Every structure is written in C-alpha cells, then in structure tokens.
Amino acid sequence: MATPPPPPHPHATGPYAAGPAGPCVPQPYGAYGSHPQPGRYGCSLCGAWPAAPATVRGHQGLIVLMRFLSARGPFCRDCGLATYRRMSSDTLWQGWWSPLSLVATPVTLLMNLGPRAAFRRLAPPSGGFRPALDPGKPLWCRAPALLVLTPLALLALAVPALLLLGLVVGDDGPRPLQSGQCVRNDGDWSDQELVVTDCSSPRAEYKVSRPTAATGGTCAPGDYVARPEYSPDLTLNCLTPLR
C-alpha cells in the first residue's frame, strides 16, 4: 500500500511555497490571481495600476453634420493623459467646422478637464502587461492649440491695448482758445476747424478776443463767434478778421 504525500507546511503560503524538492521556490507574480486591489481592474490600455474610471471626449464638425467621440475605461496616469491630450488636440482643429460645433467644441474641451484632473492625481503606473502610452507634449504646446490660442490671445490683448492707446494719445477734440491767439479755419462755419496759427503768418485769418462791457457782452459787429467746444469754461470767444 502506497504512502500518501506529506501535507504542506502550514507556513508555506503566498508567493513562496514548498515544492516537490523541499526548498521554497519563488512563484511568478499573479500565480494566485492577486491584484493590488482585488475586485478592481487596471488600465484598459496597458493593465497598469493605479487606474481611474473616466470618459475622455472628442468632437468633429462636418459642415452640416457633427460627430461626438468618446474613449471609456479605467486609465492609468500616463495612458489617461495621452488619451486626453490626443482627443483634445484633435478637437481643437476638427471641432469648429459646423455652426453648432462652435458651441459643442468648447463644451467638449471643458468636460475633458474633469478626467484630466483625475489622471494627474494618480501615482505612476506599474504592473501592466505592456508599457503605458507616452503622454507627449502638454496640450497647450501642440500645434492645433497654438493655432487656436494665438488669435484668441491677440484678440484679448487688442482690447486693453486700444484702451491704453486712447489714454496715451488723448482726445483729438478741439483745444481751448485763449484771447490774443490767431487762428485759421480749415473747415466751414457750420463745422469749424480752428487751428492756432502764428499771428505773423500769412495764413492767420482771425484773432481771438473776449467780449467787453463796451460791446454789451457780445462780439463786435463783423466778428465771428467760435463754437462752444473751443471754450470749455463756456466763455464766448470772438474771432476778429485780420484782413
């Protein structure tokens, strides 16, 4: 009658188990179906852990049609960032080519910020059955993003630049006249354009004066009256012809 084999040693469990020859021999990882967190799955692309469940979205505008794209799974940090950057980069140059896509594209890009934040919180991937994807360049350093962001940045800078230019250059309105100055009128009397001119210049046409008590507070006969914008203090300016 054959003698039954001896039972295994009570402490010979786990990755090291007593083999037929007696010494403890290391068993390959996964021999017992173990996982860093039992009952949960690793990255759907490389099998690495840790992984976060997420849906990365993309959008394409097709003149009169649209396509809504998505990639679902759990993703490790590197595969998730690679998927987010690829689909968002494609959306930046493919997503504007239909009327409704002008709204759908920004919404899609904003929705991808949630998965991006989840991927960035993960630890580096490990234990996968294949290497994780290379995340590549950040989204804002890629050509499609630069093509979109450059005109937007120029537009955003143009508004304050125009305001600053207006403050520096100032108002191009009429300058106040002072009594004793000589001017010429480069416009007509319905739309005066009075320019201060040297009184010795042959181009000088009128001399600026103020009404006096002798004239009853009005301009003398034959004088012209400057428009109110040439006198911010609302004082009447008379223009006496020089010839």
Side-chain angles (χ1 to χ4, degrees):
M1 184 174 180
T3 303
H9 193 278
H11 299 292
T13 59
Y16 294 90
C24 293
V25 180
Q27 302 298 316
Y29 174 79
Y32 301 96
S34 59
H35 193 274
Q37 292 194 21
R40 302 188 65 180
Y41 298 97
C43 177
S44 59
L45 298 180
C46 69
W49 188 265
T55 300
V56 184
R57 305 181 186 278
H59 182 76
Q60 293 178 345
L62 304 173
I63 308 301
V64 295
L65 301 175
M66 297 184 297
R67 289 183 64 193
F68 293 91
L69 310 174
S70 64
R72 296 180 175 85
F75 296 100
C76 67
R77 185 191 65 181
D78 291 356
C79 290
L81 289 176
T83 303
Y84 157 76
R85 291 172 179 176
R86 174 179 57 81
M87 296 188 70
S88 296
S89 177
D90 291 345
T91 299
L92 278 172
W93 71 272
Q94 296 176 355
W96 306 99
W97 310 111
S98 72
L100 293 179
S101 293
L102 297 176
V103 176
T105 295
V107 171
T108 301
L109 295 173
L110 290 175
M111 292 177 67
N112 281 343
L113 295 180
R116 172 184 176 272
F119 300 146
R120 291 175 64 89
R121 288 194 295 265
L122 296 175
S126 62
F129 55 79
R130 54 168 290 178
L133 298 178
D134 181 9
K137 295 181 180 179
L139 177 61
W140 309 118
C141 296
R142 303 190 178 201
L146 295 177
L147 290 175
V148 174
L149 292 179
T150 298
L152 292 178
L154 293 176
L155 181 61
L157 292 175
V159 175
L162 291 175
L163 293 176
L164 181 61
L165 183 62
L167 293 175
V168 172
V169 174
D171 189 8
D172 196 23
R175 295 186 177 182
L177 299 178
Q178 297 179 2
S179 181
Q181 288 180 324
C182 294
V183 298
R184 69 177 187 272
N185 184 17
D186 288 345
D188 52 36
W189 288 108
S190 62
D191 186 17
Q192 294 177 4
E193 188 177 347
L194 301 178
V195 180
V196 176
T197 309
D198 191 336
C199 292
S200 62
S201 171
R203 301 187 63 189
E205 299 176 337
Y206 309 96
K207 188 169 185 178
V208 181
S209 61
R210 299 289 176 86
T212 63
T215 60
T218 60
C219 295
D223 287 356
Y224 295 91
V225 178
R227 294 175 61 88
E229 54 263 32
Y230 289 96
S231 179
D233 58 0
L234 300 182
T235 301
L236 189 63
N237 281 322
C238 302
L239 304 176
T240 303
L242 295 177
R243 55 182 182 274

